[in-house]
Amino acid sequence: MAGKPVLHYFDGRGRMEPVRWLLAAAGVEFEEKFLKTRDDLARLRNDGSLMFQQVPMVEIDGMKLVQTRAILNYIASKYNLYGKDMKERALIDMYSEGIADLDEIVLHQPYIPQEEKEANLAKIKDKARNRYFPAYEKVLKGHGQDYLVGNRLSRADVYLVELLYHVEELDPSVLANFPLLKALRTRVSNLPTVKKFLQPGSQRKPYEDEKCVESAMKIFS
């Protein structure tokens, strides 16, 4: 029997958090090996574990996978969270790419200089409220189903709900005009595997505070 996936990253959200969410939603237990120093990262680079010299890296099924989207695609395929055919998969990819575009701005918020935070936050609010969230609300309204694609849970739903939580931390009223997104968040959050992940003490990571940012900077800068 294969061992648990092992996630190599620092002890923060960053680019690994969608992987944690997807594994948790699939009901897969995983281990984490946290990088704490620049030497930890150098060791992974020097032993050939990192194809492009960067993390996230996940050890799973005898592979050392890098590149977040490749990791997510593999997990989604393995645990039946990637649609039933090519058309559904194309939609899941399209929706996930849109989520990733917004997530890219969100995940940088704790790490940018203080004088840039206000402008970046305004950008997050604008793009969430006026571009991305209306698009997903329209998808749900258009087909009237419980999930984004094929009326069953996919990696796109998990990723979107993760992002809804993260944007809400920065903009608490962001979902006020998106009732179907609120309903999706509740629906996914109540799935037993996700509900467990949302409980205190899980492997879900909190919003990066100054201490977390400093730790990351020591490793990567």
Side-chain angles (χ1 to χ4, degrees), residues 52-116:
F52 303 113
Q53 308 299 309
Q54 59 195 21
V55 288
M57 187 269 280
V58 174
E59 294 185 72
I60 184 170
D61 295 341
M63 298 182 289
K64 292 182 178 180
L65 289 179
V66 295
Q67 298 293 23
T68 307
R69 290 170 196 178
I71 296 166
L72 292 169
N73 289 349
Y74 183 77
I75 294 166
S77 297
K78 181 179 174 72
Y79 296 105
N80 201 26
L81 294 167
Y82 215 167
K84 70 178 189 299
D85 55 31
M86 287 176 64
K87 285 187 176 180
E88 287 195 355
R89 186 168 176 161
L91 290 174
I92 290 166
D93 283 341
M94 182 170 70
Y95 298 159
S96 297
E97 288 298 315
I99 299 163
D101 286 348
L102 180 57
D103 190 32
E104 187 70 20
I105 310 169
V106 173
L107 68 82
H108 281 115
Q109 181 68 10
Y111 296 95
I112 58 177
Q114 188 63 41
E115 63 271 18
E116 296 175 21

Short mmCIF file of all heavy atoms in Angstrom, two decimals, residues 52-116:
data_model
loop_
_atom_site.label_atom_id
_atom_site.label_comp_id
_atom_site.label_asym_id
_atom_site.label_seq_id
_atom_site.Cartn_x
_atom_site.Cartn_y
_atom_site.Cartn_z
N PHE A 52 12.65 22.05 -11.21
CA PHE A 52 12.93 23.42 -11.60
C PHE A 52 13.51 24.24 -10.44
O PHE A 52 13.40 25.47 -10.42
CB PHE A 52 11.66 24.09 -12.15
CG PHE A 52 11.06 23.35 -13.32
CD1 PHE A 52 9.82 22.73 -13.19
CD2 PHE A 52 11.74 23.25 -14.52
CE1 PHE A 52 9.27 22.03 -14.26
CE2 PHE A 52 11.20 22.56 -15.59
CZ PHE A 52 9.95 21.94 -15.46
N GLN A 53 14.06 23.54 -9.45
CA GLN A 53 14.73 24.19 -8.31
C GLN A 53 13.78 24.97 -7.42
O GLN A 53 14.21 25.91 -6.73
CB GLN A 53 15.87 25.12 -8.81
CG GLN A 53 16.84 24.47 -9.75
CD GLN A 53 17.58 23.30 -9.13
OE1 GLN A 53 18.14 23.42 -8.05
NE2 GLN A 53 17.59 22.17 -9.79
N GLN A 54 12.49 24.61 -7.45
CA GLN A 54 11.54 25.38 -6.65
C GLN A 54 10.44 24.47 -6.07
O GLN A 54 10.18 23.39 -6.59
CB GLN A 54 10.91 26.50 -7.49
CG GLN A 54 10.18 26.02 -8.72
CD GLN A 54 9.89 27.13 -9.71
OE1 GLN A 54 10.53 28.17 -9.70
NE2 GLN A 54 8.92 26.91 -10.59
N VAL A 55 9.86 24.93 -4.98
CA VAL A 55 8.72 24.28 -4.36
C VAL A 55 7.47 25.11 -4.68
O VAL A 55 7.61 26.27 -5.10
CB VAL A 55 8.93 24.16 -2.83
CG1 VAL A 55 9.99 23.12 -2.52
CG2 VAL A 55 9.30 25.50 -2.20
N PRO A 56 6.28 24.52 -4.53
CA PRO A 56 5.89 23.29 -3.86
C PRO A 56 6.40 22.02 -4.57
O PRO A 56 6.54 22.00 -5.78
CB PRO A 56 4.36 23.33 -3.92
CG PRO A 56 3.99 24.74 -4.17
CD PRO A 56 5.10 25.29 -4.99
N MET A 57 6.61 20.99 -3.74
CA MET A 57 6.90 19.66 -4.26
C MET A 57 6.09 18.67 -3.43
O MET A 57 6.00 18.80 -2.20
CB MET A 57 8.38 19.34 -4.18
CG MET A 57 8.78 18.02 -4.87
SD MET A 57 8.73 16.60 -3.76
CE MET A 57 10.31 16.80 -2.91
N VAL A 58 5.50 17.71 -4.12
CA VAL A 58 4.71 16.68 -3.44
C VAL A 58 5.21 15.31 -3.85
O VAL A 58 5.31 15.00 -5.05
CB VAL A 58 3.20 16.81 -3.80
CG1 VAL A 58 2.41 15.64 -3.20
CG2 VAL A 58 2.64 18.14 -3.28
N GLU A 59 5.56 14.51 -2.86
CA GLU A 59 5.90 13.11 -3.11
C GLU A 59 4.62 12.30 -3.07
O GLU A 59 3.92 12.27 -2.05
CB GLU A 59 6.86 12.59 -2.04
CG GLU A 59 8.23 13.25 -2.06
CD GLU A 59 9.17 12.62 -1.06
OE1 GLU A 59 9.61 11.48 -1.29
OE2 GLU A 59 9.43 13.27 -0.03
N ILE A 60 4.28 11.65 -4.20
CA ILE A 60 3.04 10.89 -4.29
C ILE A 60 3.20 9.79 -5.33
O ILE A 60 3.73 10.04 -6.43
CB ILE A 60 1.84 11.82 -4.63
CG1 ILE A 60 0.52 11.05 -4.62
CG2 ILE A 60 2.06 12.57 -5.94
CD1 ILE A 60 -0.71 11.95 -4.72
N ASP A 61 2.84 8.59 -4.96
CA ASP A 61 2.86 7.44 -5.88
C ASP A 61 4.23 7.26 -6.54
O ASP A 61 4.32 6.99 -7.75
CB ASP A 61 1.77 7.58 -6.94
CG ASP A 61 0.37 7.52 -6.34
OD1 ASP A 61 0.23 7.02 -5.21
OD2 ASP A 61 -0.58 7.99 -7.00
N GLY A 62 5.29 7.45 -5.78
CA GLY A 62 6.63 7.23 -6.29
C GLY A 62 7.18 8.36 -7.12
O GLY A 62 8.30 8.25 -7.66
N MET A 63 6.43 9.45 -7.23
CA MET A 63 6.89 10.62 -8.00
C MET A 63 7.19 11.78 -7.07
O MET A 63 6.68 11.86 -5.96
CB MET A 63 5.79 11.06 -8.98
CG MET A 63 5.40 10.03 -10.02
SD MET A 63 4.13 10.67 -11.16
CE MET A 63 2.69 10.70 -10.07
N LYS A 64 8.03 12.67 -7.56
CA LYS A 64 8.26 13.95 -6.89
C LYS A 64 7.73 15.03 -7.83
O LYS A 64 8.43 15.47 -8.74
CB LYS A 64 9.75 14.13 -6.58
CG LYS A 64 10.25 13.16 -5.52
CD LYS A 64 11.71 13.38 -5.19
CE LYS A 64 12.15 12.41 -4.08
NZ LYS A 64 13.58 12.60 -3.73
N LEU A 65 6.47 15.41 -7.61
CA LEU A 65 5.80 16.34 -8.51
C LEU A 65 6.04 17.78 -8.09
O LEU A 65 5.91 18.12 -6.91
CB LEU A 65 4.29 16.07 -8.52
CG LEU A 65 3.79 14.79 -9.20
CD1 LEU A 65 2.27 14.71 -9.09
CD2 LEU A 65 4.21 14.75 -10.66
N VAL A 66 6.36 18.62 -9.06
CA VAL A 66 6.42 20.06 -8.85
C VAL A 66 5.47 20.71 -9.85
O VAL A 66 4.89 20.04 -10.69
CB VAL A 66 7.85 20.61 -9.04
CG1 VAL A 66 8.78 20.06 -7.96
CG2 VAL A 66 8.41 20.28 -10.43
N GLN A 67 5.32 22.04 -9.70
CA GLN A 67 4.38 22.86 -10.46
C GLN A 67 2.96 22.60 -9.92
O GLN A 67 2.38 21.54 -10.11
CB GLN A 67 4.45 22.62 -11.97
CG GLN A 67 5.80 22.97 -12.57
CD GLN A 67 6.12 24.47 -12.54
OE1 GLN A 67 5.58 25.22 -11.74
NE2 GLN A 67 7.01 24.90 -13.38
N THR A 68 2.43 23.62 -9.27
CA THR A 68 1.18 23.47 -8.51
C THR A 68 0.04 22.91 -9.36
O THR A 68 -0.69 22.02 -8.92
CB THR A 68 0.76 24.83 -7.91
OG1 THR A 68 1.86 25.37 -7.17
CG2 THR A 68 -0.41 24.65 -6.97
N ARG A 69 -0.12 23.40 -10.58
CA ARG A 69 -1.26 22.94 -11.39
C ARG A 69 -1.11 21.49 -11.80
O ARG A 69 -2.09 20.76 -11.87
CB ARG A 69 -1.43 23.87 -12.59
CG ARG A 69 -1.93 25.25 -12.15
CD ARG A 69 -1.89 26.27 -13.25
NE ARG A 69 -2.02 27.62 -12.68
CZ ARG A 69 -1.99 28.73 -13.37
NH1 ARG A 69 -1.83 28.69 -14.68
NH2 ARG A 69 -2.11 29.91 -12.78
N ALA A 70 0.13 21.07 -12.06
CA ALA A 70 0.36 19.66 -12.38
C ALA A 70 0.01 18.78 -11.18
O ALA A 70 -0.60 17.71 -11.33
CB ALA A 70 1.83 19.45 -12.79
N ILE A 71 0.38 19.24 -10.00
CA ILE A 71 0.06 18.50 -8.76
C ILE A 71 -1.45 18.40 -8.59
O ILE A 71 -2.00 17.32 -8.32
CB ILE A 71 0.71 19.19 -7.54
CG1 ILE A 71 2.24 19.15 -7.64
CG2 ILE A 71 0.24 18.54 -6.24
CD1 ILE A 71 2.95 20.10 -6.67
N LEU A 72 -2.13 19.52 -8.74
CA LEU A 72 -3.59 19.55 -8.58
C LEU A 72 -4.28 18.67 -9.62
O LEU A 72 -5.24 17.96 -9.30
CB LEU A 72 -4.10 20.99 -8.68
CG LEU A 72 -3.70 21.93 -7.54
CD1 LEU A 72 -4.03 23.37 -7.89
CD2 LEU A 72 -4.38 21.53 -6.23
N ASN A 73 -3.80 18.70 -10.85
CA ASN A 73 -4.40 17.88 -11.91
C ASN A 73 -4.27 16.39 -11.58
O ASN A 73 -5.21 15.61 -11.80
CB ASN A 73 -3.74 18.16 -13.26
CG ASN A 73 -4.10 19.52 -13.82
OD1 ASN A 73 -4.99 20.19 -13.33
ND2 ASN A 73 -3.38 19.93 -14.85
N TYR A 74 -3.11 16.00 -11.08
CA TYR A 74 -2.90 14.59 -10.76
C TYR A 74 -3.82 14.15 -9.62
O TYR A 74 -4.47 13.09 -9.70
CB TYR A 74 -1.44 14.34 -10.38
CG TYR A 74 -1.16 12.88 -10.10
CD1 TYR A 74 -1.03 11.97 -11.13
CD2 TYR A 74 -1.07 12.40 -8.79
CE1 TYR A 74 -0.81 10.63 -10.90
CE2 TYR A 74 -0.85 11.06 -8.53
CZ TYR A 74 -0.72 10.17 -9.59
OH TYR A 74 -0.52 8.84 -9.34
N ILE A 75 -3.88 14.95 -8.57
CA ILE A 75 -4.74 14.61 -7.42
C ILE A 75 -6.20 14.54 -7.87
O ILE A 75 -6.94 13.61 -7.51
CB ILE A 75 -4.56 15.64 -6.30
CG1 ILE A 75 -3.14 15.56 -5.72
CG2 ILE A 75 -5.60 15.43 -5.19
CD1 ILE A 75 -2.77 16.74 -4.84
N ALA A 76 -6.63 15.52 -8.67
CA ALA A 76 -8.01 15.55 -9.14
C ALA A 76 -8.33 14.32 -9.98
O ALA A 76 -9.41 13.72 -9.85
CB ALA A 76 -8.28 16.82 -9.93
N SER A 77 -7.41 13.92 -10.85
CA SER A 77 -7.62 12.73 -11.69
C SER A 77 -7.67 11.46 -10.83
O SER A 77 -8.54 10.61 -11.02
CB SER A 77 -6.50 12.61 -12.72
OG SER A 77 -6.50 13.70 -13.61
N LYS A 78 -6.75 11.37 -9.90
CA LYS A 78 -6.64 10.16 -9.07
C LYS A 78 -7.88 9.96 -8.19
O LYS A 78 -8.32 8.82 -7.99
CB LYS A 78 -5.39 10.27 -8.21
CG LYS A 78 -5.12 9.07 -7.30
CD LYS A 78 -3.83 9.29 -6.51
CE LYS A 78 -3.59 8.18 -5.49
NZ LYS A 78 -3.21 6.90 -6.09
N TYR A 79 -8.45 11.07 -7.71
CA TYR A 79 -9.55 10.96 -6.76
C TYR A 79 -10.90 11.39 -7.34
O TYR A 79 -11.80 11.79 -6.61
CB TYR A 79 -9.21 11.74 -5.48
CG TYR A 79 -8.01 11.14 -4.77
CD1 TYR A 79 -6.77 11.76 -4.83
CD2 TYR A 79 -8.13 9.92 -4.10
CE1 TYR A 79 -5.66 11.18 -4.22
CE2 TYR A 79 -7.03 9.35 -3.49
CZ TYR A 79 -5.80 9.98 -3.55
OH TYR A 79 -4.71 9.40 -2.95
N ASN A 80 -11.01 11.31 -8.67
CA ASN A 80 -12.30 11.47 -9.35
C ASN A 80 -12.93 12.84 -9.09
O ASN A 80 -14.13 12.97 -8.85
CB ASN A 80 -13.26 10.36 -8.92
CG ASN A 80 -14.40 10.15 -9.91
OD1 ASN A 80 -14.26 10.46 -11.09
ND2 ASN A 80 -15.53 9.67 -9.42
N LEU A 81 -12.08 13.87 -9.17
CA LEU A 81 -12.55 15.24 -8.99
C LEU A 81 -12.25 16.08 -10.24
O LEU A 81 -12.02 17.27 -10.17
CB LEU A 81 -11.86 15.87 -7.77
CG LEU A 81 -12.23 15.25 -6.42
CD1 LEU A 81 -11.27 15.71 -5.34
CD2 LEU A 81 -13.66 15.59 -6.03
N TYR A 82 -12.30 15.38 -11.40
CA TYR A 82 -11.88 16.03 -12.65
C TYR A 82 -12.87 15.77 -13.79
O TYR A 82 -12.49 15.72 -14.95
CB TYR A 82 -10.49 15.52 -13.03
CG TYR A 82 -9.60 16.55 -13.70
CD1 TYR A 82 -8.24 16.30 -13.84
CD2 TYR A 82 -10.08 17.77 -14.17
CE1 TYR A 82 -7.39 17.22 -14.44
CE2 TYR A 82 -9.24 18.70 -14.77
CZ TYR A 82 -7.90 18.42 -14.91
OH TYR A 82 -7.07 19.33 -15.51
N GLY A 83 -14.15 15.62 -13.46
CA GLY A 83 -15.18 15.45 -14.48
C GLY A 83 -15.22 14.05 -15.06
O GLY A 83 -14.36 13.22 -14.81
N LYS A 84 -16.26 13.82 -15.88
CA LYS A 84 -16.48 12.47 -16.42
C LYS A 84 -15.97 12.33 -17.86
O LYS A 84 -15.87 11.22 -18.37
CB LYS A 84 -17.95 12.09 -16.34
CG LYS A 84 -18.87 12.84 -17.28
CD LYS A 84 -20.32 12.36 -17.15
CE LYS A 84 -21.22 12.93 -18.23
NZ LYS A 84 -21.29 14.42 -18.21
N ASP A 85 -15.68 13.44 -18.54
CA ASP A 85 -15.21 13.35 -19.92
C ASP A 85 -14.38 14.59 -20.26
O ASP A 85 -14.16 15.47 -19.43
CB ASP A 85 -16.40 13.21 -20.90
CG ASP A 85 -17.44 14.32 -20.76
OD1 ASP A 85 -17.06 15.46 -20.42
OD2 ASP A 85 -18.62 14.05 -21.00
N MET A 86 -13.91 14.65 -21.50
CA MET A 86 -13.03 15.74 -21.92
C MET A 86 -13.69 17.10 -21.83
O MET A 86 -13.05 18.10 -21.48
CB MET A 86 -12.53 15.49 -23.36
CG MET A 86 -11.51 14.39 -23.47
SD MET A 86 -11.04 14.07 -25.19
CE MET A 86 -10.26 15.64 -25.60
N LYS A 87 -14.97 17.18 -22.17
CA LYS A 87 -15.67 18.47 -22.13
C LYS A 87 -15.76 18.98 -20.70
O LYS A 87 -15.54 20.17 -20.44
CB LYS A 87 -17.06 18.34 -22.76
CG LYS A 87 -17.05 18.26 -24.27
CD LYS A 87 -18.46 18.31 -24.83
CE LYS A 87 -18.44 18.31 -26.36
NZ LYS A 87 -19.81 18.37 -26.92
N GLU A 88 -16.12 18.11 -19.77
CA GLU A 88 -16.20 18.53 -18.37
C GLU A 88 -14.82 18.94 -17.86
O GLU A 88 -14.68 19.93 -17.13
CB GLU A 88 -16.80 17.42 -17.51
CG GLU A 88 -18.29 17.24 -17.72
CD GLU A 88 -18.95 16.42 -16.64
OE1 GLU A 88 -18.23 15.89 -15.75
OE2 GLU A 88 -20.19 16.30 -16.67
N ARG A 89 -13.82 18.20 -18.28
CA ARG A 89 -12.45 18.52 -17.84
C ARG A 89 -12.03 19.88 -18.38
O ARG A 89 -11.37 20.66 -17.68
CB ARG A 89 -11.50 17.43 -18.32
CG ARG A 89 -10.10 17.58 -17.82
CD ARG A 89 -9.29 16.32 -18.08
NE ARG A 89 -7.90 16.51 -17.68
CZ ARG A 89 -7.07 15.50 -17.45
NH1 ARG A 89 -7.49 14.26 -17.56
NH2 ARG A 89 -5.83 15.73 -17.11
N ALA A 90 -12.41 20.18 -19.63
CA ALA A 90 -12.07 21.49 -20.21
C ALA A 90 -12.72 22.62 -19.42
O ALA A 90 -12.10 23.66 -19.17
CB ALA A 90 -12.51 21.54 -21.68
N LEU A 91 -13.98 22.42 -19.01
CA LEU A 91 -14.66 23.44 -18.21
C LEU A 91 -14.01 23.59 -16.84
O LEU A 91 -13.79 24.71 -16.36
CB LEU A 91 -16.14 23.08 -18.04
CG LEU A 91 -17.02 23.19 -19.28
CD1 LEU A 91 -18.42 22.67 -18.99
CD2 LEU A 91 -17.09 24.63 -19.79
N ILE A 92 -13.68 22.46 -16.23
CA ILE A 92 -13.02 22.50 -14.92
C ILE A 92 -11.69 23.23 -15.03
O ILE A 92 -11.35 24.06 -14.18
CB ILE A 92 -12.82 21.06 -14.37
CG1 ILE A 92 -14.19 20.47 -13.98
CG2 ILE A 92 -11.87 21.05 -13.17
CD1 ILE A 92 -14.17 18.97 -13.74
N ASP A 93 -10.93 22.97 -16.09
CA ASP A 93 -9.67 23.68 -16.31
C ASP A 93 -9.90 25.17 -16.48
O ASP A 93 -9.18 26.00 -15.90
CB ASP A 93 -8.96 23.13 -17.55
CG ASP A 93 -8.27 21.80 -17.29
OD1 ASP A 93 -8.02 21.46 -16.12
OD2 ASP A 93 -7.97 21.09 -18.28
N MET A 94 -10.89 25.53 -17.31
CA MET A 94 -11.17 26.94 -17.57
C MET A 94 -11.56 27.68 -16.29
O MET A 94 -11.03 28.76 -16.00
CB MET A 94 -12.29 27.07 -18.61
CG MET A 94 -12.63 28.50 -19.00
SD MET A 94 -13.74 28.60 -20.42
CE MET A 94 -15.27 27.97 -19.71
N TYR A 95 -12.45 27.06 -15.51
CA TYR A 95 -12.87 27.70 -14.26
C TYR A 95 -11.70 27.80 -13.28
O TYR A 95 -11.52 28.82 -12.60
CB TYR A 95 -14.02 26.93 -13.63
CG TYR A 95 -15.27 26.86 -14.47
CD1 TYR A 95 -16.23 25.87 -14.25
CD2 TYR A 95 -15.51 27.76 -15.50
CE1 TYR A 95 -17.39 25.79 -15.02
CE2 TYR A 95 -16.66 27.69 -16.28
CZ TYR A 95 -17.59 26.70 -16.03
OH TYR A 95 -18.73 26.62 -16.80
N SER A 96 -10.88 26.74 -13.22
CA SER A 96 -9.75 26.73 -12.29
C SER A 96 -8.71 27.78 -12.67
O SER A 96 -8.09 28.40 -11.79
CB SER A 96 -9.10 25.34 -12.26
OG SER A 96 -10.01 24.37 -11.77
N GLU A 97 -8.50 27.99 -13.97
CA GLU A 97 -7.54 28.99 -14.41
C GLU A 97 -7.99 30.40 -14.02
O GLU A 97 -7.18 31.25 -13.64
CB GLU A 97 -7.32 28.90 -15.92
CG GLU A 97 -6.54 27.68 -16.36
CD GLU A 97 -5.13 27.64 -15.81
OE1 GLU A 97 -4.44 28.67 -15.84
OE2 GLU A 97 -4.73 26.57 -15.32
N GLY A 98 -9.29 30.65 -14.13
CA GLY A 98 -9.82 31.94 -13.69
C GLY A 98 -9.62 32.16 -12.20
O GLY A 98 -9.22 33.25 -11.76
N ILE A 99 -9.88 31.11 -11.42
CA ILE A 99 -9.67 31.19 -9.98
C ILE A 99 -8.19 31.46 -9.68
O ILE A 99 -7.85 32.28 -8.83
CB ILE A 99 -10.12 29.87 -9.29
CG1 ILE A 99 -11.62 29.63 -9.54
CG2 ILE A 99 -9.83 29.91 -7.79
CD1 ILE A 99 -12.06 28.19 -9.28
N ALA A 100 -7.31 30.79 -10.43
CA ALA A 100 -5.88 30.95 -10.22
C ALA A 100 -5.43 32.39 -10.51
O ALA A 100 -4.54 32.92 -9.84
CB ALA A 100 -5.10 29.97 -11.09
N ASP A 101 -6.06 33.02 -11.51
CA ASP A 101 -5.71 34.40 -11.83
C ASP A 101 -5.96 35.34 -10.65
O ASP A 101 -5.14 36.20 -10.32
CB ASP A 101 -6.50 34.88 -13.05
CG ASP A 101 -6.00 34.29 -14.35
OD1 ASP A 101 -4.91 33.68 -14.36
OD2 ASP A 101 -6.70 34.44 -15.37
N LEU A 102 -7.12 35.17 -10.01
CA LEU A 102 -7.44 36.00 -8.85
C LEU A 102 -6.59 35.58 -7.64
O LEU A 102 -6.10 36.43 -6.89
CB LEU A 102 -8.93 35.90 -8.52
CG LEU A 102 -9.41 36.72 -7.31
CD1 LEU A 102 -9.08 38.21 -7.46
CD2 LEU A 102 -10.93 36.53 -7.11
N ASP A 103 -6.40 34.29 -7.49
CA ASP A 103 -5.62 33.78 -6.36
C ASP A 103 -4.19 34.33 -6.39
O ASP A 103 -3.58 34.58 -5.34
CB ASP A 103 -5.61 32.25 -6.39
CG ASP A 103 -5.03 31.64 -5.12
OD1 ASP A 103 -5.18 32.25 -4.05
OD2 ASP A 103 -4.44 30.55 -5.21
N GLU A 104 -3.66 34.51 -7.58
CA GLU A 104 -2.30 35.02 -7.72
C GLU A 104 -2.15 36.38 -7.05
O GLU A 104 -1.14 36.66 -6.42
CB GLU A 104 -1.93 35.11 -9.21
CG GLU A 104 -0.49 35.46 -9.49
CD GLU A 104 0.49 34.35 -9.15
OE1 GLU A 104 0.06 33.18 -9.04
OE2 GLU A 104 1.68 34.66 -8.98
N ILE A 105 -3.17 37.23 -7.18
CA ILE A 105 -3.14 38.55 -6.56
C ILE A 105 -3.33 38.43 -5.04
O ILE A 105 -2.67 39.11 -4.26
CB ILE A 105 -4.23 39.46 -7.16
CG1 ILE A 105 -4.19 39.45 -8.68
CG2 ILE A 105 -4.08 40.90 -6.65
CD1 ILE A 105 -5.40 40.09 -9.33
N VAL A 106 -4.23 37.53 -4.64
CA VAL A 106 -4.55 37.35 -3.22
C VAL A 106 -3.35 36.82 -2.44
O VAL A 106 -3.03 37.31 -1.35
CB VAL A 106 -5.76 36.42 -3.06
CG1 VAL A 106 -6.00 36.08 -1.59
CG2 VAL A 106 -7.02 37.05 -3.67
N LEU A 107 -2.66 35.83 -3.01
CA LEU A 107 -1.59 35.20 -2.23
C LEU A 107 -0.38 36.12 -2.04
O LEU A 107 0.42 35.91 -1.13
CB LEU A 107 -1.19 33.86 -2.83
CG LEU A 107 -0.49 33.76 -4.18
CD1 LEU A 107 1.01 33.98 -4.06
CD2 LEU A 107 -0.73 32.37 -4.78
N HIS A 108 -0.27 37.15 -2.89
CA HIS A 108 0.84 38.08 -2.72
C HIS A 108 0.58 39.13 -1.63
O HIS A 108 1.52 39.78 -1.17
CB HIS A 108 1.14 38.80 -4.05
CG HIS A 108 1.94 37.97 -5.00
ND1 HIS A 108 1.45 37.52 -6.20
CD2 HIS A 108 3.19 37.47 -4.90
CE1 HIS A 108 2.37 36.81 -6.81
NE2 HIS A 108 3.43 36.75 -6.05
N GLN A 109 -0.67 39.31 -1.24
CA GLN A 109 -1.03 40.40 -0.32
C GLN A 109 -0.19 40.46 0.95
O GLN A 109 0.28 41.53 1.34
CB GLN A 109 -2.53 40.32 0.03
CG GLN A 109 -3.05 41.43 0.95
CD GLN A 109 -3.05 42.82 0.32
OE1 GLN A 109 -2.85 42.98 -0.87
NE2 GLN A 109 -3.29 43.84 1.14
N PRO A 110 0.06 39.33 1.63
CA PRO A 110 0.86 39.44 2.87
C PRO A 110 2.32 39.77 2.63
O PRO A 110 3.01 40.21 3.55
CB PRO A 110 0.73 38.03 3.49
CG PRO A 110 -0.38 37.36 2.77
CD PRO A 110 -0.43 37.95 1.41
N TYR A 111 2.80 39.58 1.40
CA TYR A 111 4.23 39.64 1.15
C TYR A 111 4.70 40.94 0.50
O TYR A 111 5.90 41.21 0.47
CB TYR A 111 4.65 38.45 0.26
CG TYR A 111 4.42 37.14 0.93
CD1 TYR A 111 3.24 36.42 0.72
CD2 TYR A 111 5.35 36.62 1.83
CE1 TYR A 111 3.00 35.23 1.38
CE2 TYR A 111 5.12 35.42 2.49
CZ TYR A 111 3.94 34.74 2.26
OH TYR A 111 3.71 33.55 2.92
N ILE A 112 3.78 41.73 -0.02
CA ILE A 112 4.18 42.96 -0.70
C ILE A 112 4.48 44.06 0.33
O ILE A 112 4.01 44.01 1.46
CB ILE A 112 3.10 43.43 -1.70
CG1 ILE A 112 1.76 43.66 -1.01
CG2 ILE A 112 2.97 42.43 -2.84
CD1 ILE A 112 0.67 44.18 -1.94
N PRO A 113 5.27 45.07 -0.06
CA PRO A 113 5.58 46.16 0.89
C PRO A 113 4.33 46.86 1.40
O PRO A 113 3.31 46.92 0.69
CB PRO A 113 6.42 47.12 0.02
CG PRO A 113 6.98 46.27 -1.07
CD PRO A 113 5.95 45.22 -1.34
N GLN A 114 4.41 47.35 2.63
CA GLN A 114 3.26 47.97 3.28
C GLN A 114 2.63 49.06 2.43
O GLN A 114 1.40 49.17 2.36
CB GLN A 114 3.70 48.56 4.63
CG GLN A 114 2.56 49.06 5.50
CD GLN A 114 1.59 47.96 5.92
OE1 GLN A 114 2.02 46.85 6.26
NE2 GLN A 114 0.29 48.24 5.88
N GLU A 115 3.46 49.85 1.75
CA GLU A 115 2.93 50.96 0.96
C GLU A 115 2.17 50.51 -0.28
O GLU A 115 1.45 51.30 -0.90
CB GLU A 115 4.06 51.92 0.56
CG GLU A 115 5.12 51.33 -0.34
CD GLU A 115 6.28 50.69 0.42
OE1 GLU A 115 6.10 50.40 1.63
OE2 GLU A 115 7.34 50.48 -0.20
N GLU A 116 2.28 49.21 -0.63
CA GLU A 116 1.57 48.69 -1.80
C GLU A 116 0.31 47.91 -1.43
O GLU A 116 -0.50 47.57 -2.30
CB GLU A 116 2.49 47.78 -2.61
CG GLU A 116 3.69 48.49 -3.20
CD GLU A 116 4.65 47.54 -3.91
OE1 GLU A 116 4.21 46.43 -4.28
OE2 GLU A 116 5.83 47.91 -4.09
#
